Amino acid sequence: LLKIVGGIFSLKTVLMIADNTISLLEYLHENHYIHRDIKPENFLMGMGDLSHIVYMVDYGLTMRYRDSNTLAHIKFREDRAVTGTARYLSLNGHYGIEQSRRDDLESLGYMFIYLLTGTLPWKKLTENNDQKDKVRKIAQKKLKTPIESFCRGIPEEFSIFLNYARNLMYEEKPNYSFLRKMFEDLFKREGFIKNYAYDWTFKSMIKTDVIEN
């Protein structure tokens, strides 16, 4: 879908996706699991009467982060293997820190920016064939690049979202309602109508040559 509309989504489409995906993560987290591989490829659109609904898929790296009875959180560790897709992986994930809810949100923040702009500062580094070197270089780039610099030209809510995720404590519960409302307020300020008319629902926006190729 991203490819057939030219590689980026409109602000309206990204905000509708954001509303859905934050809720999906909240549901997963409330059921005691973290995803650990948030990326565009792991979100799909429904079909037919369900074509407006975003679905989250691929739970191969999902893990339980707390006990379902006692709600005791798994212990903090700093010796973990890198798990997830490097382009969207959280900083903590890069440096071997045990992932928690905050890391799913940070990855989601990178995904929003990618969908809106078509790039991330470390995108070209993912073309490196040496996996370990690629992951190391991406981590360094993420650490050294101020969030505001790659959010320049887009609404500040996206940099607020990423900063919020990065500043959460290891066991802290994210305020999902705050994040949804922040994007909802932006949606209203822009005068958008939540009619689920995503970019790919308009024939005029579809690149037929991409589909043919």
Side-chain angles (χ1 to χ4, degrees):
L1 293 175
L2 189 63
K3 288 178 181 177
I4 66 173
V5 297
I8 60 172
F9 287 150
S10 67
L11 177 59
K12 178 182 177 181
T13 287
V14 173
L15 290 175
M16 289 191 293
I17 290 172
D19 185 64
N20 276 263
T21 52
I22 293 170
S23 294
L24 287 170
L25 272 187
E26 180 180 19
Y27 180 81
L28 182 68
H29 294 168
E30 287 302 300
N31 282 276
H32 323 298
Y33 288 91
I34 52 175
H35 193 282
R36 299 202 303 171
D37 197 18
I38 297 297
K39 57 183 178 180
E41 294 86 343
N42 285 340
F43 292 96
L44 310 178
M45 298 306 301
M47 299 180 69
D49 292 339
L50 303 177
S51 62
H52 62 293
I53 296 177
V54 182
Y55 292 87
M56 185 164 61
V57 300
D58 191 356
Y59 298 91
L61 297 179
T62 298
M63 65 170 281
R64 187 186 290 271
Y65 73 91
R66 69 182 180 189
D67 185 277
S68 57
N69 294 315
T70 65
L71 302 185
H73 203 288
I74 56 174
K75 293 182 179 179
F76 180 87
R77 294 177 61 177
E78 297 182 276
D79 57 351
R80 308 304 286 168
V82 174
T83 302
T85 301
R87 182 183 292 180
Y88 306 99
L89 183 62
S90 69
L91 271 175
N92 289 320
H94 273 291
Y95 291 103
I97 295 173
E98 185 79 79
Q99 293 189 47
S100 61
R101 290 170 286 190
R102 63 183 181 179
D103 300 281
D104 277 350
L105 279 180
E106 185 177 337
S107 295
L108 194 62
Y110 296 135
M111 188 184 88
F112 293 156
I113 294 165
Y114 182 76
L115 296 179
L116 192 58
T117 67
T119 191
L120 287 165
W122 46 88
K123 181 183 177 183
K124 291 185 178 180
L125 298 177
T126 60
E127 297 169 1
N128 190 315
N129 291 323
D130 186 307
Q131 182 65 21
K132 287 186 177 180
D133 186 53
K134 176 184 76 174
V135 173
R136 180 182 61 81
K137 287 181 177 178
I138 291 174
Q140 290 177 343
K141 189 72 172 178
K142 283 180 186 172
L143 185 63
K144 294 179 181 179
T145 307
I147 290 174
E148 286 70 23
S149 70
F150 60 88
C151 288
R152 191 174 293 121
I154 63 175
E156 65 174 352
E157 282 78 1
F158 293 94
S159 62
I160 292 171
F161 184 99
L162 257 181
N163 277 307
Y164 175 83
R166 281 193 181 180
N167 285 296
L168 285 168
M169 300 299 289
Y170 175 63
E171 295 188 19
E172 187 176 354
K173 178 181 178 179
N175 189 337
Y176 309 96
S177 296
F178 159 73
L179 296 171
R180 273 195 302 270
K181 188 176 187 307
M182 178 178 69
F183 285 136
E184 182 182 332
D185 289 345
L186 172 60
F187 194 89
K188 290 177 179 177
R189 287 202 309 275
E190 292 291 328
F192 298 141
I193 299 172
K194 192 173 286 187
N195 53 6
Y196 296 105
Y198 296 99
D199 294 340
W200 56 84
T201 65
F202 297 97
K203 289 184 179 180
S204 60
M205 297 189 69
I206 294 177
K207 311 295 182 183
T208 54
D209 58 317
V210 175
I211 298 175
E212 290 169 0
N213 290 335

